[in-house]
Amino acid sequence: MNGTATFRSHLMQHFAAIARTQSRPPIALFSFEGNGPDERPSTRRHDICHHGKPTSSMSHQLSSVSGGPCSVYDNHGRNRFSSSQSHSCADLDKETTTLTYTPSNSAEHLQKLIASRRTVSNFISSPRYSNDSIDSSIESSREFLRSAIKRGVECASTAPNHKMTEPTTFYRILSPSAASKRLLDIVYEVTLQRLQKQKLSGEEACRSEALRKKEKWASIPAFLVVTVGGMNDQTPSLLAAEDHNDYFSELPYVPPSDTRQLEDYASTCASIQNLLLSLHSEGLVSKWATGPVIRTLAFRELVGCKPSDMVVGLIFVGWSKREPRMPRRQRILDGDLMRDL
C-alpha cells in the first residue's frame, strides 16, 4: 500500500475513523516500502531500522511524503516531527515521547481562569477602578451584582447531578436590605454568645469583638445561601427555640446518611464551584463560608429552610479590598497530587 492508496481493510478504515475523533490524536510513524498498491507498510523493527539507522527505502519514502528524510505524522496528516537531518530510530523514539499537546486558546484561557480564582475575606462595598477611585453608584453596583449572581446560578445548575434530583436551592441577599440587616444581627448575637461561652475575655471585650465582626460583614455587597434538600432532619434536638440562647446556638451537625443524600450533597458542592468560577469570570471575588452562623435556628428561620434542608454554605460576593494572594500549596502535582496507576 503506497501513500496515496486507500485502505482496503475494513478494520483499518474503522481504526482511522476512530482515531480522527480523538481529542489527542495518536502519533504514528509510517514507513512505506515499495511502490506496489498491494504492499503493506512494514511493522517489523529490522525492516525499519538497521543498526540504529533508518533504512534507505524508509528514508526515501518518508522524504517523498514530507520533503525530508524522517517525519512523524498524526492521523490528521499533520507533521508532528520532521528534520532535515537523518535520525536514528532511538532518536525518533526519544523525541516522539517528549512531544506535548498544546491546548487551544479557549482551553488555555479557561484553565488560567480556574487556576487564578482565590478566596477573599476582606470586601469593599463598591468596585474599585484601576486609578483606585471607588464607584459610588450603589444602584448600578446592585444591578450588576443581581445579574451576575443570576448568571452564576445558571452555571451552577449545570453541575453533575445523579438521577436529576435537582436538590440545590440558592437564596440571594443584596446589601443593604431588610434581610441583610437581619443577617448582621444574627452574626452579632452568634459571635457574642460563642465568645461568652469561651470565657477568654470580659463582657466588654466580647461585645466589642462581636460588633467588629458585624461591621466587617456589613461591607460585603451580597450574600448567597446555598442549601441541599432531601436530607435528614437538621433540627432534631430543637423543634422550637424557647430560650434566647438556644435560638443563636449552633445546632448539631447531621450528615448525609445514605448514597442518594451523599450524591446530592456532592452535587451541591459542585454547583458552588461552578458559581464561584462564574463570579470570578465577571471580576467578582467570593468566599465560601461554613461557620457556626449558618447552623443556627435564627439563620434557618431567616432563609426559610425546611427541616430537611441542609445549609451547605453562605457565599460572600463582592469586590476585594486588596489583591488576593496566591496560597502556598504543600503537595506537588506529579507523583503526589496526581499518580499514574
Side-chain angles (χ1 to χ4, degrees), residues 322-338:
R322 61 182 64 93
E323 187 70 21
R325 294 183 177 181
M326 174 76 170
R328 180 175 295 179
R329 303 294 181 184
Q330 299 297 323
R331 301 177 64 184
I332 61 175
L333 177 59
D334 292 323
D336 185 9
L337 188 61
M338 181 185 68

Side-chain angles (χ1 to χ4, degrees), residues 21-219:
T21 64
Q22 295 181 1
S23 59
R24 182 175 179 180
I27 297 175
L29 175 64
F30 292 94
S31 173
F32 299 102
E33 299 192 27
N35 298 322
D38 295 328
E39 295 191 35
R40 299 180 179 180
S42 174
T43 57
R44 293 176 298 175
R45 183 73 176 181
H46 66 271
D47 287 339
I48 300 178
C49 185
H50 178 67
H51 298 300
K53 295 183 179 179
T55 62
S56 59
S57 59
M58 171 189 173
S59 300
H60 171 74
Q61 294 297 332
L62 288 177
S63 298
S64 65
V65 175
S66 65
C70 297
S71 298
V72 177
Y73 291 84
D74 61 21
N75 61 306
H76 295 294
R78 293 190 292 263
N79 190 335
R80 302 302 296 268
F81 171 81
S82 62
S83 173
S84 59
Q85 299 178 352
S86 297
H87 286 261
S88 67
C89 286
D91 290 337
L92 284 174
D93 291 340
K94 180 179 179 181
E95 298 206 37
T96 54
T97 56
T98 59
L99 290 176
T100 57
Y101 167 76
T102 301
S104 65
N105 291 336
S106 59
E108 189 173 8
H109 175 73
L110 176 60
Q111 291 158 1
K112 288 182 177 180
L113 179 72
I114 295 173
S116 63
R117 200 208 74 82
R118 300 287 176 268
T119 294
V120 170
S121 298
N122 297 295
F123 290 79
I124 54 177
S125 57
S126 300
R128 187 186 298 273
Y129 295 131
S130 58
N131 59 359
D132 275 351
S133 63
I134 298 178
D135 183 5
S136 59
S137 176
I138 297 179
E139 277 307 314
S140 62
S141 300
R142 283 172 61 90
E143 187 55 39
F144 170 69
L145 282 170
R146 185 188 301 274
S147 58
I149 290 174
K150 181 178 180 180
R151 289 186 290 272
V153 172
E154 288 178 336
C155 292
S157 66
T158 65
N161 176 211
H162 192 208
K163 296 188 181 298
M164 292 301 293
T165 55
E166 299 184 76
T168 310
T169 305
F170 300 85
Y171 300 87
R172 179 175 55 191
I173 301 176
L174 299 180
S175 299
S177 64
S180 69
K181 291 177 182 178
R182 178 56 183 154
L183 175 60
L184 296 179
D185 290 339
I186 295 173
V187 170
Y188 176 83
E189 294 292 344
V190 172
T191 305
L192 177 61
Q193 182 174 309
R194 180 173 56 85
L195 293 174
Q196 289 172 338
K197 286 182 178 180
Q198 293 174 352
K199 298 180 179 180
L200 298 178
S201 56
E203 181 68 19
E204 190 62 30
C206 291
R207 292 187 178 277
S208 177
E209 176 61 21
L211 183 60
R212 185 198 67 81
K213 186 168 184 178
K214 177 181 178 179
E215 292 174 346
K216 182 179 180 180
W217 281 46
S219 65

Side-chain angles (χ1 to χ4, degrees), residues 265-338:
Y265 180 83
S267 176
T268 299
C269 292
S271 297
I272 292 177
Q273 174 69 348
N274 280 7
L275 168 70
L276 301 182
L277 292 174
S278 176
L279 295 173
H280 176 52
S281 71
E282 299 203 43
L284 292 167
V285 296
S286 57
K287 179 179 180 178
W288 180 352
T290 57
V293 172
I294 70 173
R295 291 191 293 274
T296 62
L297 282 176
F299 184 84
R300 293 179 64 86
E301 182 183 86
L302 169 66
V303 178
C305 294
K306 295 182 293 186
S308 61
D309 290 339
M310 175 190 287
V311 181
V312 181
L314 175 62
I315 312 301
F316 302 168
V317 183
W319 297 274
S320 179
K321 190 174 183 179
R322 61 182 64 93
E323 187 70 21
R325 294 183 177 181
M326 174 76 170
R328 180 175 295 179
R329 303 294 181 184
Q330 299 297 323
R331 301 177 64 184
I332 61 175
L333 177 59
D334 292 323
D336 185 9
L337 188 61
M338 181 185 68

